C-alpha cells in the first residue's frame, strides 16, 4: 500500500480493490474463459505435432558448447596446477574430446554429444576464434620495437629461423615420399621448414613472465627472435600455401605472390601511420578523456573482411587476420581497447571450439602401431629441439652470451605452442601434409611446448645450488651492456595469454 | 651493432660477419639447395591439386560475417541518428539481409553471400547470441528490487500483463483457424496473449535514460511493470511451449510443467542466496582488492548448460538461459564482471547473427498482397497499442497518476523490442504460430518499438509549450510521494543496451 491519495486509508484500500477487479481480475477472467472455450472446442493440442527439428539441433549445440567450454576451462586450471600455461591444458581438452580418444572410449556418448548436424556450427565458432586469435598474434608481433634491434639479436633471430628451416628442409627430402600432401613435395619442404622454425610468441611471453625472465637479456632477446622468426616463417608459409593453391588453378605463380607479400610488408609502415591518423581523428586516443575508441563490432568486421579477402585471393584466412593485426595501430591508440576485448573474448569463448576442431582433425590411430612413425616422430622431435638449441642458442653463445643464458635461450625458443598448431591446421587444410604427418607434428609441438617451463625451472634450481658456476638469472651476460630489447606493449603478459 | 665484446670494433665486426655466415647464410643456402633439388626433381606442385573445400567455406563464412557485422553496425549508427535505439537499426539490418529483401533484389549476390553450406555456421552463432542475450535479460529483471513494490505499481504491473493477455486471447479466437501453428489453437491463444503482453525491459530502460525519465515516478513504475509483466509472460510462454512439446510426445502434462515452474520460482530465493555464498567464497566479491571474479568461460559454460537442460526437458533454450540469469547473484557480486563482459561481447559480435537468422525467417511476401493480412495486422497493432494504454495507463490514472504521466506510461510499455522478437522466434520454432502470423507480429513489434521515443518527445514538446497543463516531466504525480521504485543495478543503462 502506498498512500497515493492522501485520503482515508480505508477509502484508498476499497478503491484499490475496485481497480484491481476491473484491470486485473476481469481481464484474467476473460483470458481464462477464452482458453477454456478453446480447450473444450479443440482439445489441448493437435495430436500429431512435434517440435521442429531446429530446436533439437539448438539443444545439441548448447549441450556440446557447455561440455567444450567446461572441459577446456577445467583442463586449463589443471595445466596451471602442473606448472604449465593454461593453453596446453585447453589444447589437450580439445584432443581428448576428439574422435581418437573420447570417440574411441565411448562411441555412443561421443555420437550423442557431437552429432553430424552440429559439426558445421562448431566449425563456424572455431573459424571465428582462429581469425581473432591470429589478429592478436599480428598485433603482439607488430608491437615489438624493431628499432631497438642490435647486431647480436638480429643474428640470433635470423638463426632462429634459418637453422630450423634448413633442418626441416633436409628432413623433408627423406619424408616427402610418404607424407607430402596433394600439394606436392616442394610445398611440403617449405612447410616442414616453417613448422620447425615457429616459436609461439604469446606462450613464450607467458613463460618468461612466470619465471621472472621478462626483463633479462635472455628474455628480451628471445622475444625479439621469436617475433622476427615468426614473421619470416609466416611469409614463407604464405608462399607455400599460395603455391599450393596456384598449382591447381594454373593462376599467378609463386613469384607474383612473393612480390605482393613484399610490397605489403613495405607498405606496412606508411599504411599503419595513415590508419593511425585516420582512426585517431575519428575515435580519439584511448588516453583522452571520454574517448570511446573503435567499436568492437567494427573491428571484428574489419578483421573478418581482411581474412575473407586473403582467403579469396588464395592465402589462408589466418594470414589476412594476422596482417590486419600487424597493420592496425598498436600501443594505446584508438584500437587497443577494442582489440583487447575482442582478444579476451575470443580466447575465453571461441578458442575452445578451435581446439575441439583441432581434436576432430587429429588421428591418433596413425601414431600407435607403426614403428616407422615412431622413428619419424623421434627424428622430427630431435630436429626441432636441436636446431633451436644449435641455431639461436649456439649463435648467442658465440656472440658473447654466457653459456647458461644461451642454453636458456635455445630452450625458450622451443615453445611452439598454439601458433604452431595453427600452422599445422593450415598445412593440413591446404593439402601440404597428410593426416599422419599432421598428427606426428602435433605430438612434437605439444612436447616442445610442455618442456621449456620445467626445464628452465630445473636449470634455475641447479644454478642456485652451484652459485659459482653459471651467471645468476637476470644478470647481464659476461659484462655486456643490456641490449635495448623490446617491451611488447598491449597485453602479451595478461592472464588470457596463449 | 652492439658493443657485445668490448674489444676492438673491427675485430667484433669481423666476428659478427663470420657468425652470420655460419648461422644464417649457410643454413639458408642449405634450405635453398634442398628446395632447388625438389623443384628440379618434382616440378613446383602436383598438377591435379585443389585446395580442400573446407577452406572455401571458411572464406564464405568470414565474408558473410564481415557483411553482417558491418551492416549491423552501420544500421545501428543510422538508428541513433534518427533518434531510435541502435537495436532497431540492427534488427532492420538483419531483415534487409534476409531473403525477402536482399534475396529478392539481388538473388545472385544473396546466394553468393549466404550459400547453403554456411547457414548452419551462422545459425550456431545466432543460437549462442540468443542464449547469452536471454541470460542478460534474466539478470536485468532479477536486479529489480521487488521489496520496493507499492500497491499502485503492483496493480499497474498486473494490468500490464492481464489486459493485453485478454485482448490477445480474444483476438486469437478469430485468428486461430487461419494462423495457428501445428501445435493447435490453445497454444496459439496463450502465445498471442503473451506476445501482446511483453515489454522489452532493456529497450525501455534505454529510452528512459535517453529522455531523462529514469528517475521519475513514470520511469520507475514502467520499469517495475515491465519486469513483472515480462516474468509473467515468460511463465505463460513456457507453459505454452511445454504444452506444445508434450502434445507430441504424450509425456508429462501441462500441470506438471506449471508445478515445476512454480517450485523453481519459489526456490529462486534460497537457491540464489546459496549460490551467492558459494561463489563469493570461491571467487571473492568484485569489491574486494584483487578478487578475480568468476571466469567468463565458466559462466558461458553454465549458461549453455542451463539452456541445453531446459531445451532437452521440452522448454525452449532461451528460457533456461533466462532462468540462469535470474538465479545467479545480481548486483556487484562475483558474477557481475563476467556477466557484463559476456553480455557486451554477445551484444556486439553474436547478436547481429541472431538478427540475420531472424531476417532469414521473416517472409515479407506473406504481407504484401492479401487484404485480409493487412486487416489482421492493423487489428493486432491497434490491440497491442490500446491494451497497453487502456490497461496499465488507465489503471495508473485511476490510482492517482496525472493524465500526462499515465499516458506516458502506456506509451512506454509499448516498447516491445528485441525481447518480443525472441518470443516470436520461439513461437515459430515451437510450432505455435505459422510463418504469416510470425511476419505480421514482427511488423507490429517493430512499429510499437519505434513509436515510443518520438511520441514521448512530441508530448514533452507540447507540455513545454503549455506549461500550465500537464505536470512537467519528472515531477511526482499529483502530490503523491515518489514511490520507492527499482534502480536496476548492473548495466541496464549501458550503451550496449537493447
Amino acid at each position: 500500500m502506498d498512500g497515493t491519495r492522501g485520503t482515508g486509508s480505508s477509502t484508498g484500500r476499497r478503491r484499490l480493490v475496485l481497480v484491481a477487479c476491473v484491470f486485473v481480475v476481469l481481464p484474467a477472467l476473460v483470458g481464462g474463459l477464452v482458453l477454456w472455450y478453446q480447450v473444450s472446442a479443440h482439445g489441448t493440442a493437435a495430436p500429431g505435432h512435434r517440435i521442429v527439428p531446429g530446436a533439437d539441433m539448438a539443444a545439441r549445440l548448447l549441450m556440446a558448447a557447455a561440455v567444450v567450454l567446461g572441459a577446456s576451462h577445467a583442463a586449463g586450471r589443471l595445466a596451471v596446477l602442473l606448472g604449465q600455461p593454461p593453453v596446453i591444458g585447453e589444447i589437450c581438452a580439445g584432443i581428448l574430446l576428439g574422435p581418437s580418444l573420447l570417440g574411441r572410449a565411448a562411441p555412443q556418448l561421443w555420437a550423442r554429444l557431437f552429432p553430424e548436424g552440429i559439426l558445421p556450427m562448431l566449425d563456424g565458432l572455431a573459424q571465428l576464434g582462429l581469425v581473432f586469435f591470429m589478429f592478436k598474434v599480428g598485433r603482439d608481433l607488430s608491437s615489438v620495437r624493431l628499432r631497438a634491434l642490435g647486431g647480436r639479436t638480429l643474428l640470433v633471430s635470423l638463426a632462429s629461423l634459418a637453422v630450423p628451416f634448413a633442418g626441416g628442409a633436409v628432413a623433408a627430402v627423406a619424408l616427402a615420399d610418404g607424407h607430402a600432401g596433394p600439394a606436392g613435395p616442394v610445398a611440403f619442404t617449405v612447410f616442414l621448414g616453417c613448422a620447425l622454425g615457429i616459436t609461439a610468441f604469446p606462450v613464450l611471453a607467458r613463460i618468461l613472465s612466470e619465471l621472472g625472465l621478462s626483463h633479462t637479456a635472455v628474455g628480451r632477446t628471445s622475444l625479439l627472435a621469436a617475433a622476427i622468426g615468426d614473421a619470416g616463417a609466416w611469409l614463407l608459409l604464405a608462399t607455400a600455401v599460395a603455391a599450393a593453391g596456384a598449382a591447381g588453378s594454373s593462376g599467378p605463380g609463386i613469384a607474383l605472390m612473393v612480390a605482393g607479400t613484399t610490397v605489403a610488408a613495405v607498405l606496412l609502415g606508411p599504411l599503419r601511420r595513415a590508419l593511425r591518423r585516420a582512426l585517431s581523428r575519428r575515435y580519439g586516443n584511448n588516453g583522452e578523456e571520454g574517448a570511446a575508441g573503435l567499436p568492437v563490432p567494427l573491428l571484428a568486421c574489419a578483421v573478418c573482411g581482411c581474412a575473407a579477402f586473403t582467403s579469396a585471393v588464395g592465402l589462408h584466412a589466418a594470414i589476412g587476420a594476422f596482417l590486419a593485426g600487424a597493420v592496425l595501430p598498436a600501443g594505446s591508440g584508438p584500437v587497443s581497447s577494442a582489440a583487447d576485448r575482442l582478444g579476451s573474448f575470443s580466447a575465453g569463448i571461441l578458442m575452445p571450439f578451435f581446439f575441439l576442431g583441432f581434436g576432430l582433425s587429429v588421428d591418433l590411430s596413425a601414431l600407435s602401431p607403426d614403428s616407422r612413425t615412431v622413428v619419424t616422430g623421434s627424428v622430427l622431435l630431435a630436429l626441432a629441439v636441436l636446431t633451436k638449441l644449435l641455431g639461436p642458442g649456439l649463435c648467442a653463445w658465440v656472440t658473447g652470451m654466457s653459456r647458461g643464458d644461451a642454453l636458456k635461450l635455445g630452450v625458450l625458443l622451443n615453445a611452439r605452442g598454439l601458433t604452431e598448431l595453427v600452422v599445422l591446421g593450415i598445412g593440413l587444410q591446404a593439402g601440404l601434409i597428410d593426416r599422419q604427418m599432421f598428427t606426428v607434428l602435433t605430438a612434437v609441438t605439444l612436447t616442445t611446448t610442455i618442456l621449456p617451463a620445467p626445464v628452465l625451472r630445473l636449470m634455475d634450481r641447479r644454478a642456485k645450488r652451484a652459485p659459482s658456476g653459471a651467471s645468476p638469472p637476470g644478470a647481464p651476460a659476461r659484462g655486456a651492456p643490456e641490449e635495448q630489447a623490446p617491451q611488447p606493449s598491449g597485453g602479451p603478459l595478461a592472464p588470457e595469454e596463449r
Side-chain angles (χ1 to χ4, degrees), chain A:
Chain A
M1 295 297 290
D2 49 341
T4 316
R5 273 288 165 187
T7 55
S9 162
S10 73
T11 325
R13 196 171 294 175
R14 217 176 298 147
R15 195 183 176 97
L16 276 182
V17 170
L18 185 69
V19 170
C21 285
V22 172
F23 285 98
V24 181
V25 179
L26 189 66
L29 269 180
V30 170
L33 275 176
V34 170
L35 264 183
W36 178 76
Y37 162 75
Q38 294 275 36
V39 170
S40 61
H42 303 278
T44 49
H49 168 64
R50 285 194 59 78
I51 284 198
V52 284
D56 186 45
M57 271 303 132
R60 297 294 189 89
L61 170 69
L62 291 168
M63 178 53 73
V67 169
V68 169
L69 288 169
S72 173
H73 182 76
R77 305 301 311 167
L78 189 68
V80 170
L81 287 181
L82 297 174
Q84 291 287 343
V87 67
I88 295 278
E90 293 168 14
I91 294 169
C92 291
I95 295 176
L96 278 177
L97 288 176
S100 301
L101 291 173
L102 183 65
R104 188 159 302 177
Q108 288 189 327
L109 175 68
W110 195 80
R112 269 188 74 83
L113 202 53
F114 302 112
E116 197 70 27
I118 69 163
L119 293 183
M121 299 180 177
L122 295 172
D123 189 40
L125 292 169
Q127 293 293 343
L128 281 191
L130 168 64
V131 162
F132 295 148
F133 168 74
M134 284 306 298
F135 168 71
K136 193 158 163 34
V137 171
R139 258 185 93 69
D140 285 351
L141 287 194
S142 79
S143 69
V144 170
R145 281 181 284 139
L146 288 183
R147 287 186 193 158
L149 201 64
R152 185 218 289 168
T153 315
L154 183 62
L155 271 185
V156 170
S157 307
L158 291 178
S160 169
L161 178 61
V163 177
F165 185 85
V170 170
V173 176
L175 295 170
D177 278 346
H179 296 287
V186 176
F188 177 74
T189 306
V190 176
F191 179 81
L192 205 58
C194 292
L196 294 192
I198 285 277
T199 296
F201 188 81
V203 170
L204 180 64
R206 191 188 162 84
I207 293 177
L208 288 176
S209 97
E210 277 182 356
L211 299 179
L213 293 173
S214 300
H215 300 286
T216 62
V218 184
R220 291 168 177 183
T221 307
S222 64
L223 274 179
L224 204 46
I228 295 179
D230 275 17
W234 279 110
L235 205 71
L236 286 168
L237 183 68
T239 314
V241 173
S249 61
S250 73
I254 304 182
L256 196 66
M257 282 317 308
V258 174
T261 321
T262 314
V263 170
V266 172
L267 271 178
L268 225 70
L271 189 59
R272 275 183 82 180
R273 277 191 291 277
L275 261 176
R276 175 169 208 129
R277 270 197 302 275
L279 287 171
S280 295
R281 212 177 301 134
R282 176 74 183 78
Y283 294 106
N285 274 310
N286 266 12
E288 289 169 23
E289 276 291 314
L294 188 71
V296 179
L298 207 57
L299 180 65
C301 167
V303 173
C304 287
C306 282
F309 175 75
T310 51
S311 187
V313 156
L315 292 165
H316 195 276
I319 293 166
F322 176 84
L323 284 177
V327 165
L328 278 177
S332 61
V335 182
S336 71
S337 128
D340 285 352
R341 274 191 282 166
L342 193 62
S344 93
F345 178 88
S346 164
I349 309 285
L350 296 177
M351 281 316 278
F353 295 98
F354 175 76
F355 298 135
L356 176 74
F358 200 84
L360 293 178
S361 300
V362 164
D363 182 10
L364 287 179
S365 65
L367 281 184
S368 43
D370 193 351
S371 70
R372 216 185 116 211
T373 314
V374 176
V375 172
T376 308
S378 313
V379 168
L380 282 176
L381 181 60
L383 258 183
V385 173
L386 286 179
T387 50
K388 285 286 186 188
L389 284 178
L390 295 181
L394 200 58
C395 180
W397 184 61
V398 170
T399 53
M401 201 179 252
S402 77
R403 206 180 49 189
D405 281 0
L407 196 60
K408 266 185 202 162
L409 185 70
V411 172
L412 278 169
L413 289 176
N414 258 303
R416 287 184 174 77
L418 182 47
T419 317
E420 173 83 354
L421 292 193
V422 174
V423 168
L424 295 182
I426 294 175
L428 183 66
Q429 206 175 33
L432 306 179
I433 50 175
D434 65 359
R435 194 169 292 271
Q436 198 180 355
M437 181 49 74
F438 172 80
T439 307
V440 169
L441 285 175
T442 301
V444 170
T445 303
L446 283 179
T447 314
T448 59
T449 309
I450 290 173
L451 280 181
V455 167
L456 287 171
R457 281 202 200 93
L458 206 69
M459 286 171 67
D460 256 13
R461 214 171 297 160
R462 288 185 60 182
K464 272 174 201 155
R465 250 183 246 158
S468 57
S471 67
R478 280 202 243 165
E482 267 203 31
E483 277 187 55
Q484 279 289 327
Q487 267 291 73
S489 65
L493 305 180
E496 293 96 356
E497 270 327 301
R498 34 207 66 229

